[in-house]
Amino acid sequence: MTQSSTPPNGSLNLRPAMPADIPQILRFIRDLATYEREPDAVHATEADLLRDGFGEPKRFDCLIAELNESGATIPAGFALYFYNYSTWLGHAGIYLEDLYVSPEHRGKGIGKALLTRVAAIAVAEGCPRFEWSVLDWNAPSIDFYHQLGAVMKSEWKGMQVSGDALKALASSGK
Amino acid sequence: MTQSSTPPNGSLNLRPAMPADIPQILRFIRDLATYEREPDAVHATEADLLRDGFGEPKRFDCLIAELNESGATIPAGFALYFYNYSTWLGHAGIYLEDLYVSPEHRGKGIGKALLTRVAAIAVAEGCPRFEWSVLDWNAPSIDFYHQLGAVMKSEWKGMQVSGDALKALASSGK
C-alpha cells in the first residue's frame, strides 16, 4: 500500500516565507496598498525585503498561504509581522503589519487561518498580546476582527514624523 | 590651568540606559501608567526589563534624561523605543513606546530633548519614519507633537487581542 504525497485539491498550506518568495511578497504588498487606496505608496524593493526579512538584524517574519489546485501551488495571501514591546506587561508582543488575501481567494477562510496561525505563534512564544491596525472605513474587516475576539484601542491615535520633518526634528537638538 | 569635569548646575544629560537604571525605569513606567489613568496596568518586573532590554533577543532600547543639580545626578525622564517595520518603505522605523518626564521637571525642554534625540537616532540609522501613539484626550501632548512636525494617522485604529481571547484565537485553528 502506498500513500500519495500530493495534497488534496483546494487544500490550504501555511508556511514561513523563504527568500524565493520575495517577488510574490512584494506583489502582495503592492496589491494591499492598492486596496488601502494608496497604490503609489510602496517604495520597498526586493533587496529591501531580502535584507530585512532574512538578514541581520532581522526586522520581520512572514507567513505565506498557498492553495493546492490541480497539482499546482498557488500563492493566495500572506501575513507579515514583527515584535513590539509592552512596558506594562514587561514582554514582547506580536504586531501584524500586513495581512492580505488575493481577491480571487477570499471567502475561503484564508485570512482567518493566517491570523489564527500568527496568534498561535504569539502564544507559543509567550507573547501576551497580538496587535494590528485597521482603516476606520474598513467595516467588514473591523467586524471580522471583533468576531475573532479583538478589541479596538479607540482612545489611542498614531503619530508619525517622516521625511524632511524627521530630518528637521533630528537636527533641532544640535 | 585646570578644567572642571563637573557639569553646570541644572544641565541636562541624555544617555543610553544601563542595567543599573532598571529600578528607576520601572518607577517611570509606573508613574506614566498612573498619568495615563491606568495605575494598576503595570505587571512588568525588573527581571522582565533586564531580559528584554539587555539580553538576546533585545526587544527595546531606552534613553535616560538626567539633570545635574548641586553636584548630584537626578533622573528626570526616559524614552523607550523599539524597531517596527514599514512594508511600504521597505525599512525599519522607530516606534516610541514610552516618553515620560517627571512632573517636577516639566517645562524644561526635557521631553523635546528626548524626542529629538530619538529622531536623530532614527536618521542616523536610516529609518525613514519615527512613530508613537497618544491618547486622544491628551490635547497638550497632541499640540506639542504637531509643533514638532508630526502628523496624526487619524484613519488608523489599533486592534488588540490578549489574554484568554488570544489563547482562544490561537487554538481555533487546530
Side-chain angles (χ1 to χ4, degrees), chain A residues 29 33 36 38 41-44 48-49 51-52 59-60 80 82-92 97-98 112 115-116 119-120 122-123 125 127-137 142 145-146 148-163 165-167 169-170 172-173, chain B residues 29 33 36 38 41-44 48-49 51-52 59-60 80 82-92 97-98 112 115-116 119-120 122-123 125 127-137 142 145-146 148-163 165-167 169-170 172-173:
Chain A
I29 291 169
E36 290 173 337
E38 295 279 357
V42 180
H43 301 279
D48 291 334
L49 299 176
R51 177 194 65 219
D52 295 332
R59 297 299 193 188
F60 65 80
L80 188 147
F82 57 80
Y83 293 86
N84 62 7
Y85 197 72
S86 167
T87 50
W88 288 4
L89 301 178
H91 205 285
E97 178 69 13
D98 283 348
K112 186 180 175 188
L115 209 65
T116 300
V123 168
E125 298 189 0
C127 296
R129 265 191 201 158
F130 174 26
E131 297 178 295
W132 61 93
S133 297
V134 64
L135 284 159
D136 58 4
W137 49 258
I142 294 171
Y145 296 146
H146 279 145
L148 298 180
V151 295
M152 188 177 276
K153 295 162 64 184
S154 305
E155 267 196 320
W156 290 95
K157 303 287 182 185
M159 303 295 301
Q160 183 180 94
V161 59
S162 60
L166 176 58
K167 286 181 192 139
L169 179 60
S172 68
Chain B
I29 290 169
E36 290 172 337
E38 295 279 357
V42 179
H43 301 280
D48 291 334
L49 299 176
R51 177 194 65 219
D52 295 333
R59 296 299 191 189
F60 65 79
L80 189 147
F82 56 80
Y83 293 85
N84 62 8
Y85 197 73
S86 167
T87 49
W88 288 4
L89 300 179
H91 205 284
E97 178 68 13
D98 283 348
K112 186 181 175 188
L115 210 64
T116 301
V123 168
E125 298 188 0
C127 296
R129 266 192 201 157
F130 174 26
E131 296 178 296
W132 60 93
S133 297
V134 64
L135 284 158
D136 58 3
W137 49 257
I142 293 170
Y145 296 146
H146 279 145
L148 298 181
V151 294
M152 187 178 276
K153 295 162 64 184
S154 305
E155 267 196 320
W156 289 96
K157 303 287 182 186
M159 302 296 299
Q160 184 180 95
V161 59
S162 60
L166 177 58
K167 287 182 191 135
L169 179 61
S172 68

Side-chain angles (χ1 to χ4, degrees), chain A residues 23-72:
Chain A
Q24 179 60 53
I25 294 170
L26 189 53
R27 282 192 290 273
F28 281 143
I29 291 169
R30 289 189 179 125
D31 290 348
L32 176 56
T34 300
Y35 175 75
E36 290 173 337
R37 305 177 186 173
E38 295 279 357
D40 302 320
V42 180
H43 301 279
T45 65
E46 292 183 7
D48 291 334
L49 299 176
L50 183 65
R51 177 194 65 219
D52 295 332
F54 300 92
E56 280 296 331
K58 182 176 168 68
R59 297 299 193 188
F60 65 80
D61 286 273
C62 185
L63 296 177
I64 301 288
E66 52 194 17
L67 286 167
N68 294 293
E69 289 190 353
S70 310

Side-chain angles (χ1 to χ4, degrees), chain B residues 59-80:
Chain B
R59 296 299 191 189
F60 65 79
D61 285 273
C62 184
L63 297 177
I64 300 288
E66 53 194 17
L67 287 167
N68 294 293
E69 289 191 352
S70 310
T73 300
I74 314 288
F78 82 124
L80 189 147

